[in-house]
Amino acid sequence: QVHLVESGGGLVQAGGSLRLSCVASVQTFNRYAMGWFRQAPGKEREFVAAISWSGGTTGYADSVKGRFTISRDNAKNTVYLLMNNLKPEDTAVYYCAAVYGGSYDYASPNEYEYDYWGQGTQVTVSS
């Protein structure tokens, strides 16, 4: 079982930045591909970014490409999401997710491929 805990959410003005963190309670974190997803009120959960267990491959939703950066520190069992130039439409609960294994470049945008999920952290962007 993998326990994921997100932090770093909050209220920020449009154009501002936040960095989300997700800490995983597992010894083999360096074998888990990680993803960030978000869910806005009244909407379905959507893909934001993903990173392979090697850290060598990343993927982003078109809506955040160029503004958000996903990274990981395997020594700290942590994955990050740096969010710059935030927009009101980025307001959502952000979830991190984990899936074990896959190839070194595996970084899936499909939420059904992830086995473990955190409780989420709220990000609110005011206009």
Side-chain angles (χ1 to χ4, degrees):
Q1 188 71 18
V2 179
H3 188 218
L4 303 174
V5 178
E6 303 97 334
S7 62
L11 174 64
V12 63
Q13 288 188 334
S17 298
L18 284 174
R19 189 180 78 159
L20 305 183
S21 300
C22 172
V23 180
S25 62
V26 63
Q27 290 187 341
T28 55
F29 177 73
N30 61 0
R31 291 307 315 274
Y32 283 81
M34 302 295 295
W36 284 98
F37 294 78
R38 68 186 182 186
Q39 187 167 21
K43 295 187 177 181
E44 293 186 351
R45 188 161 56 190
E46 64 176 3
F47 168 71
V48 175
I51 188 167
S52 60
W53 56 258
S54 68
T57 299
T58 58
Y60 298 92
D62 288 342
S63 59
V64 307
K65 203 169 292 183
R67 299 188 297 122
F68 290 10
T69 302
I70 188 171
S71 61
R72 65 190 298 157
D73 185 340
N74 286 342
K76 296 182 178 180
N77 280 21
T78 301
V79 62
Y80 304 98
L81 185 69
L82 176 61
M83 306 184 294
N84 293 324
N85 190 22
L86 282 161
K87 304 176 181 181
E89 51 263 43
D90 294 319
T91 295
V93 177
Y94 282 71
Y95 300 90
C96 71
V99 56
Y100 181 82
S103 63
Y104 71 96
D105 60 350
Y106 173 74
S108 177
N110 299 314
E111 64 174 285
Y112 62 84
E113 295 186 20
Y114 290 84
D115 298 316
Y116 304 100
W117 292 82
Q119 292 300 306
T121 185
Q122 176 71 47
V123 172
T124 303
V125 184
S126 63
S127 57

